[in-house]
Amino acid sequence: MAPLTVNFACALYDRMIPLAVGEIQPPGLNVNFIDVQHPRDIFDRMVANREFDASELSASEYITRYVAGDRSFVAIPVFASRVFRHSFICINTNLVKEPKDLNGNRIGVQLYTMTAAVWIRGVLQHEYGIDLSSIEWVEGKMEGPGSHGKPSSLPPRGPVNITRNIDPTKSLSDLLESGEVAATIGADIPECLGRAPHVRRLFPNFKEVESDYYKRTGVFPIMHLVAIRREFYEANRFVASSLFNALNDSKELARKRMESLGALRYMLPWLGRDLDEIKETFGDDCWPYGLEENKKTLEALVQFLYEQNMIEKTVPINELFAPVRKINFRIG
């Protein structure tokens, strides 16, 4: 029987390369790996047009749609992207000196509903006592005028003070530099950081702050998961486990290659030192797939979405994902 073709769209992260080039062959599947360089393009094409059988997808976008009753997709517990976001909070020091100064200010954000922004707001609220309701959120593109992609994400359910950057000549970075917003948050760093002397990160020592956050909470923020079109999944239930295991094998192969230091695979001169620090903090695997391994992080994300008026209720994390059976026995 010929293998089932799966059109899978994802950025070509290191953990995806063995699958993308065919080194990893999922049983029963022929994976047509579609490399789309910017995740926002993947999300917009998947949600609006259902262009792929499976794809990387914004975690917050998937969860908000699921809780709202949209069952167009089913997720598997593969987390294509995860990023600590403390370093993505940039401030105009004429207006902000410390976290509490954010209260009552205008903050630029590429998209209020984007997962990066959800995590940053959650951290600011829970770790630093920021009153999110006191802030005006100015949406727009970080690097130019206009909006951040063509998102199909659902709007917040409750009242949130969101405005849009309607200046046809300015980006969010420009607004930060000029003081028209006091800070920016999101998935990208403003271009003015490093050029404008009065613009800096809120946490210049972000590595130490993020490491401490993980050690205290056990949370390594998840940005993107992998979702399958519901009708494709219902017709081919084995796809969930087959794709999960293939992606997990691909990630493990990439991780082992990263740890081979005789000839560096990445342009990171101190990679050996970095790997030692990562192992000390996370243990053997800093990037686990699976539900139980990511329970704290997923529960925190669901809680943040609820608190930020993006979902009407919290849901158990196991309800959000298709059941997958991991490979427990390997012969040969």
Side-chain angles (χ1 to χ4, degrees):
M1 185 175 180
L4 177 70
T5 296
V6 178
N7 295 307
F8 175 57
C10 189
L12 194 60
Y13 306 113
D14 61 346
R15 47 212 168 268
M16 299 292 170
I17 290 174
L19 178 67
V21 301
E23 286 184 277
I24 301 296
Q25 295 286 343
L29 295 181
N30 172 37
V31 176
N32 176 32
F33 192 99
I34 303 167
D35 174 18
V36 181
Q37 294 190 7
H38 200 291
R40 186 70 252 170
D41 289 333
I42 301 174
F43 307 160
D44 295 347
R45 292 170 64 182
M46 183 63 154
V47 173
N49 301 324
R50 312 290 197 269
E51 291 188 28
F52 316 110
D53 299 318
S55 80
E56 174 181 11
L57 195 62
S58 159
S60 64
E61 192 158 346
Y62 171 76
I63 295 170
T64 54
R65 287 185 173 278
Y66 183 93
V67 177
D70 183 349
R71 301 294 193 270
S72 301
F73 307 101
V74 58
I76 58 175
V78 168
F79 306 110
S81 174
R82 40 197 329 165
V83 187
F84 289 106
R85 291 295 183 182
H86 294 69
S87 65
F88 288 77
I89 310 170
C90 294
I91 58 172
N92 183 313
T93 57
N94 295 328
L95 301 169
V96 175
K97 306 293 185 188
E98 54 186 326
K100 68 184 178 84
D101 298 334
L102 295 171
N103 283 313
N105 255 307
R106 303 177 79 224
I107 296 179
V109 58
Q110 292 156 300
L111 190 64
Y112 180 85
T113 56
M114 73 191 319
T115 312
V118 174
W119 279 110
I120 291 171
R121 288 192 300 267
V123 166
L124 290 173
Q125 178 184 6
H126 286 265
E127 297 281 310
Y128 303 97
I130 302 304
D131 179 4
L132 302 179
S133 67
S134 73
I135 293 169
E136 177 185 346
W137 305 97
V138 183
E139 288 188 334
K141 192 182 293 186
M142 191 69 75
E143 68 278 11
S147 63
H148 179 69
K150 297 180 180 178
S152 302
S153 53
L154 299 178
R157 292 183 52 81
V160 179
N161 187 8
I162 300 174
T163 58
R164 287 172 176 77
N165 174 25
I166 58 174
D167 190 323
T169 66
K170 290 186 176 180
S171 64
L172 289 184
S173 178
D174 296 329
L175 296 183
L176 178 63
E177 185 173 2
S178 67
E180 294 168 81
V181 298
T184 59
I185 67 172
D188 293 298
I189 298 298
E191 179 272 335
C192 62
L193 180 68
R195 176 174 55 75
H198 58 286
V199 173
R200 67 168 177 84
R201 287 184 166 93
L202 180 61
F203 303 106
N205 61 329
F206 59 87
K207 183 178 180 182
E208 290 79 9
V209 174
E210 292 168 348
S211 178
D212 174 70
Y213 176 73
Y214 177 78
K215 289 174 181 176
R216 286 187 294 104
T217 66
V219 170
F220 181 6
I222 288 167
M223 300 295 133
H224 310 158
L225 43 71
V226 168
I228 306 167
R229 283 191 298 108
R230 172 71 63 174
E231 60 269 26
F232 188 80
Y233 166 74
E234 295 292 353
N236 309 279
R237 287 291 188 107
F238 79 96
V239 167
S241 292
S242 188
L243 192 57
F244 172 87
N245 285 305
L247 287 163
N248 195 51
D249 287 348
S250 184
K251 184 257 296 184
E252 284 301 297
L253 184 52
R255 185 170 65 85
K256 289 174 182 176
R257 287 173 173 169
M258 177 178 65
E259 293 172 352
S260 178
L261 299 175
L264 295 179
R265 299 183 68 85
Y266 303 97
M267 293 179 286
L268 299 169
W270 317 122
L271 179 59
R273 180 203 62 187
D274 294 340
L275 288 173
D276 288 345
E277 291 181 0
I278 289 168
K279 189 168 186 176
E280 180 182 339
T281 301
F282 295 94
D284 288 335
D285 186 3
C286 68
W287 210 285
Y289 295 162
L291 273 187
E292 191 58 35
E293 298 87 340
N294 293 280
K295 186 172 187 287
K296 288 182 180 178
T297 298
L298 290 166
E299 289 179 341
L301 178 57
V302 170
Q303 185 64 33
F304 290 170
L305 288 168
Y306 175 69
E307 292 171 351
Q308 295 173 32
N309 291 317
M310 290 176 62
I311 55 177
E312 64 178 350
K313 62 181 179 180
T314 60
V315 294
I317 60 170
N318 63 313
E319 183 182 325
L320 298 169
F321 294 87
V324 296
R325 182 173 292 276
K326 300 179 183 180
I327 296 175
N328 296 315
F329 301 98
R330 294 179 188 269
I331 300 175

